[in-house]
Amino acid sequence: MTNTLNGHSCRARGILDRVGDKWSLLVISQLGEGVKRFTDLKREATGVSQRMLTVTLRNLERDGLVIRTVHPVVPPRVEYELTTLGHTLLATVCSLVDWAEANGDDIEKARMAYDERMATS
């Protein structure tokens, strides 16, 4: 087995493209804290447009990672939560976030060194 995506199926690449985008990772992380309403997700996801959040939630729901529940009240109340499958992805997302936090200083140093090299060449 190879360590790159080149050796993996198109299906795996498509799934990784979907769940690995910036807004999906953020929403999965937010829903790891528990059930949330759309307005809560929007408020906590600084920079996401309403349309992009809607598209992201629909895609995650379609992929079986998020459950959307509409409560029959006026005005309608819609809540989102992770499915069992979504929770398995959450564990992976948390590992990735932990890695980023643990290595953030080294990455920042590498970026600064790179930028300095590029500025002088």
Side-chain angles (χ1 to χ4, degrees):
M1 178 160 332
T2 179
N3 287 330
T4 66
L5 287 177
N6 293 336
H8 294 284
S9 71
C10 290
R11 182 172 71 168
R13 283 192 300 260
I15 292 168
L16 290 171
D17 285 345
R18 169 72 53 80
V19 300
D21 73 73
K22 128 177 157 177
W23 299 121
S24 293
L25 289 173
L26 183 60
V27 168
I28 291 163
S29 177
Q30 288 176 314
L31 291 177
E33 299 170 1
V35 176
K36 303 240 179 184
R37 295 178 69 176
F38 184 91
T39 53
D40 298 327
L41 292 167
K42 174 81 172 88
R43 182 177 53 252
E44 295 171 14
T46 305
V48 68
S49 69
Q50 183 165 332
R51 181 187 175 287
M52 183 52 69
L53 182 56
T54 298
V55 168
T56 299
L57 286 164
R58 284 183 184 160
N59 287 334
L60 292 172
E61 183 181 8
R62 182 173 182 250
D63 289 343
L65 301 170
V66 168
I67 296 171
R68 178 180 183 263
T69 304
V70 180
H71 297 278
V73 295
V74 177
R77 188 176 88 227
V78 180
E79 295 177 330
Y80 297 88
E81 64 184 301
L82 292 178
T83 62
T84 301
L85 183 61
H87 278 284
T88 64
L89 180 58
L90 176 65
T92 302
V93 169
C94 288
S95 294
L96 184 59
V97 169
D98 290 345
W99 177 88
E101 289 290 333
N103 294 286
D105 290 341
D106 291 335
I107 291 170
E108 188 59 36
K109 288 175 191 172
R111 288 176 177 172
M112 288 171 43
Y114 177 88
D115 291 347
E116 286 178 22
R117 283 193 313 273
M118 292 299 109
T120 60
S121 58

